[in-house]
Amino acid sequence: FQAEDGIRDQPRSRGLGDVYKRQLIYNVRGEFTACEPLDMTYTSLEEIYRIEVVGAFAAARTVLPAMMKRSRGSIFFSSATAAYRGSRTHPLYAIGKFGLRALSQSLTKAYAEYGVHIVHVRLDCDLDAPYMREIYGEKYEPETLASPDDVAESYWLTHLQPRSAWSNEIELRPYTEVWTY
Amino acid sequence: FQAEDGIRDQPRSRGLGDVYKRQLIYNVRGEFTACEPLDMTYTSLEEIYRIEVVGAFAAARTVLPAMMKRSRGSIFFSSATAAYRGSRTHPLYAIGKFGLRALSQSLTKAYAEYGVHIVHVRLDCDLDAPYMREIYGEKYEPETLASPDDVAESYWLTHLQPRSAWSNEIELRPYTEVWTY
Amino acid sequence: FQAEDGIRDQPRSRGLGDVYKRQLIYNVRGEFTACEPLDMTYTSLEEIYRIEVVGAFAAARTVLPAMMKRSRGSIFFSSATAAYRGSRTHPLYAIGKFGLRALSQSLTKAYAEYGVHIVHVRLDCDLDAPYMREIYGEKYEPETLASPDDVAESYWLTHLQPRSAWSNEIELRPYTEVWTY
Amino acid sequence: FQAEDGIRDQPRSRGLGDVYKRQLIYNVRGEFTACEPLDMTYTSLEEIYRIEVVGAFAAARTVLPAMMKRSRGSIFFSSATAAYRGSRTHPLYAIGKFGLRALSQSLTKAYAEYGVHIVHVRLDCDLDAPYMREIYGEKYEPETLASPDDVAESYWLTHLQPRSAWSNEIELRPYTEVWTY
C-alpha cells in the first residue's frame, strides 16, 4: 500500500483541489469506467480508495488544524448519489463515495465544535461540462444538467450559512431532475 | 374527519405561516407533549396529521399553481429529525413529520420541473426561542441552540440557490450539536 | 374525524387482517390509484391515513397488551418501498406508508423490551396475485414477482428469530428485482 | 498496496471465515480501537479497507462463480450500525463498514438474478462473547447483548428465505436494545 509514501512523493496538486485559507473543496474523481463487480481488480479497488477516501483525508488534514485554531473555514467534499447506493455497473465509484461520506460525517462529528464547517455534497445529476456534452452528443439538453457555475454558487451559499444553522450533508440537483432517492 | 370543511371554515392564518408572493414557509407545530404509543388517542392522531400533513398540503395548494405559472417561488416545510426515526416518547410528532416529508418529496418530484423550489428542512436541534429558554432554565446555553435569525438566514440562502443546483432536503444544526443520525 | 366511532362500528375484519394469539399481520391496503399531488382531496388524505396508520394502530392496540403480558408474539406491518420515498404519481400511498413506518418504529422502540417482536416489512416488488396478473397481461412473468406463499414463508422465518437477534425492519424482494434503493 | 500479492501470499483462513459449499459468512473485524479522525494513519486506513472491503471482495470472489453456476448459495457480510453513520471516536470502523455495505449492495444488484442470496447484516448491538464480558465487567447483563447462537440462528433463518422473497439488508438487535437509528 504505502499510501503514506505515495502521498508524500506525489505533487500535492493531484489530490488537493483548490486550497484557500477559508475553504477547501475536495473535488477529485477518478475514471468513471463501467465495470461489473466481479471484474474489479485489487489495483482498481486500491486506486478508488486512494482517490476518494485517503486523498480526501490527506487534503482535510492539511487544512483542518489551522481552521480549528481560527474557528473558521469550510471543507466541501464533492460526492454523488453513489454515496447512498451500490451499483451493478459502477461498484468502484459507490465503494469510494460511501467511504468518503463516512469520512466526512466522522470529521464533522469530531471537529464542527471547533467552528469548522464540513459538508458532504451529493451531486444528484450530471454536470454541464465539456466531456458530458460529448457523451450526450445529440441528446445534449442543458436544462437537464447542473451548470458548474450554479453548483459553485450553491457551494458558496452553503459556505455563508451561519454556524448555529449549518448543513453537513446537502444534495444538489437541477430542477428538471427525475430522482428516485 | 371533514378536513375540507374544517379548513374552509377556519381562518387561513392558522395553517399558513407567512405567505409572500415568492416564498411560503410552513412552520407550524402542535403541542410537543410526551406520550407513549399506546396512549395515543384517535383524536391526537387526527390532530397531528391535520397540522403536519393536511395543513401543509392546504398551504402548498394555495400558492403552488401561481408559482408554477410564474416559474418561480420557494416552499419550505420546517421539519425535524423526527421525520427520520420513530420515537418511544413522542410518536405523534414522528408520525406527523414522516408524513410531511413524504408530502414534500412528492410535491417536488411532481412540480420542481415547473421551476418551483420545494424544500424539507430537518431542524436537528432546539431553537433559541423564549419557551426553550424556560425549559432549559439554568442549563440554558445559547451556543447549543439554533438562533432563529440564523435559521432564517439559512432558509434565505437556500432560497437563493440557482435552479440547476437545488437542494430539496436539507438539515440544519448548530456547530455544537452532538448528532447521531 | 371520529375514527374511534368509525372503527368501533365497522366489522373488525376490515382493518385487522388475521389475528392469532401469537401473530398479528396488518396487511391492509387501499386503492392504489395514480393521482398527482395537487389532485389529492382532503377526503383521500383522510382515507389513506385511516387505512395505513390509524387502522394499523387500532389493530396493534388490540393485541399488544396481551402480547406484552405474555412476553411473546409478533406484529408485522406489510409496507412497501413507498415508505422510503415520495412519489409524483402515488403521493397518497407514500404519505400513508411513511406514517406506518413511523408508527412501527415507535411501537417497537417502546414495547420490544416486553418481548413483543414488531416488524415493518418493506415489500420491494409486485405480488404474484390474480389482480397483478391481469394488470401485467401478456407481460406477466412469474419470476419477476413475489409469490404470496414465499412472502408468507419469509414472514414466518422472521417470526422464528430468537429475541436476542431480532429484525425490526426488513425488505423482501424477488431475486430478479432490479432495485435502486 | 499490492493487495493482490498480499492476499495470494497469506493463508486463506485469515480473510475468509467459514466457507461452505452453500454459505459464505464473512465475519472478520479488525481492532476496534478508539481513535479520533485526525489521528488516523495512512497505514490504519489501509488496514481497515483491506479487512472490511478488499478481504470481503476476495472471499466473495472465491465462492460466487460456483454459486452462480449452481443457482444457489448465500453470502452474509457481518456488519454494524457503523455502516450507516460516521463516528467521532471510531472513524476507521465506519469507513470500513460503509465500504462493505457498498460492496454488498453492488454484488447483490449484479448477481442476485443468478440465484445467489447476498445479505448485509447490520448487527446493532454488542455480542455476548468472552471479550465483551471482560469489557463490561460488573455491568455485564446478558439480556442486553446478542447471543452468538441467536445471531447464527437468525442468519440461518435468512438463508432459508425463498428466493422470490429475499432480504438483502437486515438488522439484528436484542429485544432490549435502545436504538436511535
Side-chain angles (χ1 to χ4, degrees), chain D residues 49-85:
Chain D
Y49 187 61
R50 275 196 163 202
I51 291 168
E52 296 287 355
V53 182
V54 180
F57 173 61
R61 207 171 67 161
T62 305
V63 298
L64 203 39
M67 288 178 171
M68 288 162 66
K69 205 167 173 183
R70 295 188 306 122
S71 286
R72 63 192 308 176
S74 298
I75 296 177
F76 289 85
F77 297 110
S78 295
S79 188
T81 298
Y84 292 79
R85 55 188 186 196

Side-chain angles (χ1 to χ4, degrees), chain A residues 109, chain B residues 32 79-99 101 120 122-125 173 177-181, chain C residues 83-84 98-109 169, chain D residues 81 84-85 122 173 178-181:
Chain A
K109 286 181 175 184
Chain B
F32 186 61
S79 187
T81 297
Y84 293 79
R85 55 188 186 197
S87 169
R88 66 193 306 174
T89 55
H90 293 80
L92 289 165
Y93 195 54
I95 289 167
K97 290 300 190 195
F98 268 68
R101 188 176 170 223
H120 176 272
R122 169 186 163 199
L123 290 160
D124 186 25
C125 53
R173 60 173 68 89
E177 184 73 15
V178 179
W179 51 289
T180 51
Y181 171 67
Chain C
Y84 292 79
F98 268 69
L100 176 60
R101 187 175 172 225
L103 173 70
S104 177
Q105 281 194 7
S106 298
L107 287 170
T108 193
K109 286 181 175 185
E169 296 198 313
Chain D
T81 298
Y84 292 79
R85 55 188 186 196
R122 170 187 163 197
R173 60 173 68 89
V178 178
W179 50 290
T180 51
Y181 172 67

Side-chain angles (χ1 to χ4, degrees), chain C:
Chain C
F1 195 59
Q2 303 176 299
E4 193 122 30
D5 293 342
I7 283 166
R8 249 201 319 267
D9 296 338
Q10 283 169 31
R12 279 291 161 92
S13 57
R14 183 194 167 204
L16 292 186
D18 297 322
V19 182
Y20 298 100
K21 276 198 178 169
R22 297 223 179 138
Q23 273 192 294
L24 166 70
I25 299 176
Y26 189 77
N27 203 10
V28 177
R29 211 189 65 181
E31 301 281 321
F32 186 61
T33 322
C35 153
E36 68 165 284
L38 279 178
D39 289 343
M40 296 190 295
T41 62
Y42 294 119
T43 303
S44 65
L45 277 168
E46 167 200 353
E47 279 175 1
I48 199 74
Y49 188 62
R50 275 197 163 201
I51 291 168
E52 296 287 354
V53 183
V54 180
F57 173 62
R61 206 172 68 162
T62 305
V63 298
L64 202 39
M67 287 180 171
M68 288 162 65
K69 205 169 174 182
R70 295 188 305 124
S71 286
R72 62 192 307 176
S74 298
I75 296 177
F76 288 85
F77 296 111
S78 295
S79 187
T81 297
Y84 292 79
R85 54 188 187 197
S87 169
R88 64 193 307 175
T89 55
H90 294 80
L92 290 166
Y93 194 54
I95 289 168
K97 289 300 189 194
F98 268 69
L100 176 60
R101 187 175 172 225
L103 173 70
S104 177
Q105 281 194 7
S106 298
L107 287 170
T108 193
K109 286 181 175 185
Y111 306 117
E113 64 178 306
Y114 292 89
V116 183
H117 191 184
I118 299 171
V119 189
H120 176 272
V121 185
R122 170 188 163 196
L123 290 161
D124 186 26
C125 53
D126 286 328
L127 284 177
D128 188 4
Y131 71 93
M132 289 308 304
R133 285 178 218 168
E134 274 180 42
I135 291 173
Y136 279 100
E138 292 190 0
K139 294 184 181 172
Y140 168 69
E141 286 184 54
E143 286 299 296
T144 65
L145 303 171
S147 138
D149 285 351
D150 285 357
V151 170
E153 176 71 12
S154 289
Y155 275 54
W156 180 251
L157 292 165
T158 305
H159 172 65
L160 295 179
Q161 288 179 337
R163 72 182 190 178
S164 96
W166 269 351
S167 300
N168 294 122
E169 296 198 313
I170 63 168
E171 29 150 60
L172 296 179
R173 60 173 69 90
Y175 72 107
T176 51
E177 184 74 13
V178 179
W179 51 290
T180 52
Y181 172 67

